[in-house]
Every structure is written in structure tokens, then in C-alpha cells.
Amino acid sequence: MINKSRFTADARRWFAAGDNVIARAAPLVGQDITQQDAIEVAYDLQTGSYVEALADPAYRADKQAWGRRLAEVLSGLGVASVCEAGVGEATTLAPVIEATSPAVRFAGFDLSLSRLLQARAYLAGQGQAARLFCADLLRIPLPDNAVDVILTNHGIEPNGGGE
């Protein structure tokens, strides 16, 4: 049996060694840790890495192009509100906000509180804002019809089977 504290210590070692924490955790799921525990710890360990990656001009340009494309789709749908599931550090959401009408309201949630705090700081640095909250992708605490569109960018993959 492994508890979450022990798992977190192991995950730090795996992460430092460059291993995929979620893959390494797979055999442990069900032994006092859940898949969501594994995802949360893995993403907590990655906090800051997505913002740091934006220092690469090609990566930043790709993010901005993707943001403009998502904004085009949202504009074509005529939506008034958007929520990103698995918002992480908001490096995908920020270019969408930038390219979208100021009339559209944005929100985002993530399992990792540390990444949400990073997202808040990143958005503020970009002169943007979104309503950010901590939540599990499998239990979204929003009433039906609370937002027009929920989007995700790499938020489904670690939740394989829970789609």
C-alpha cells in the first residue's frame, strides 16, 4: 500500500529523472491513491513549465495561432461565455482571450491549485482575467447551461477512460 504522501515523494524523484509521473503511477492507482491524485501530483510538479516554454518564439507563435483559431470558432458560434477544462497555466486560454471579443466571459478550472495560481499570475501579466477555480474534470461544479462552451486542450488525455 502507498499513501499520497509517499506517492508524492516518489513522484518527485520520477519527475526529476524525467519519467512520466502518470505512467509510473498507473500500477499504484487503487492502492490508496486515485487516478485523480496521480494527475494532481504530476501537474503540481510541472507548475511553471508551460509558462517557461513560451520563451521559445516558435512555441509562442504556435500557441498564439491556435488561440486565434479557437477564437474564430467561438466567434462563429456567437458564444457569450467559455470555460476551459484543465486550464493549467492558462497558456492556451490567454491567446484565445486576446483574440476574442471583450464581450465574451472566460473561466477555467484545473485539478492543480498551484497551476491555477500560476495561471492567475500569467493572465494578470498579459492584462487579462478569467474566473479560475479548482475542480476535478470528472466532477465539474457548474450547473447545467452555466457556460455556452467548455473547451479543453490536453485535458482529456490523462483522464483516459473517464471521458
Side-chain angles (χ1 to χ4, degrees):
M1 291 291 230
I2 185 168
N3 63 32
K4 192 171 177 185
S5 295
R6 172 62 192 269
F7 168 71
T8 301
D10 289 345
R12 286 176 198 226
R13 283 194 303 281
W14 301 333
F15 183 75
D19 292 346
N20 181 312
V21 173
I22 295 171
R24 290 288 304 263
L28 304 173
V29 170
Q31 300 179 37
D32 293 337
I33 68 160
T34 66
Q35 180 70 20
Q36 295 311 95
D37 291 332
I39 294 167
E40 180 180 7
V41 169
Y43 282 119
D44 279 343
L45 291 170
Q46 294 177 27
T47 298
S49 65
Y50 284 61
V51 170
E52 288 172 9
L54 293 174
D56 176 347
Y59 181 74
R60 180 180 281 277
D62 285 347
K63 280 289 195 183
Q64 290 170 332
W66 182 237
R68 286 190 300 273
R69 178 64 185 120
L70 288 173
E72 285 176 24
V73 170
L74 295 171
S75 176
L77 295 172
V79 302
S81 58
V82 177
C83 181
E84 184 177 2
V87 70
E89 298 172 23
T91 57
T92 298
L93 188 61
V96 177
I97 294 171
E98 181 181 340
T100 304
S101 162
V104 178
R105 296 179 322 275
F106 285 92
F109 67 90
D110 203 277
L111 189 61
S112 170
L113 179 58
S114 61
R115 293 188 80 208
L116 284 173
L117 295 172
Q118 180 78 37
R120 182 188 301 163
Y122 179 68
L123 288 172
Q126 302 299 306
Q128 300 169 344
R131 181 176 167 246
L132 302 176
F133 56 100
C134 200
D136 182 332
L137 183 65
L138 304 178
R139 290 180 288 285
I140 303 169
L142 294 174
D144 290 348
N145 301 313
V147 294
D148 295 330
V149 170
I150 292 184
L151 64 89
T152 185
N153 194 65
H154 299 298
I156 300 287
E157 298 88 342
N159 290 283
E163 299 88 333

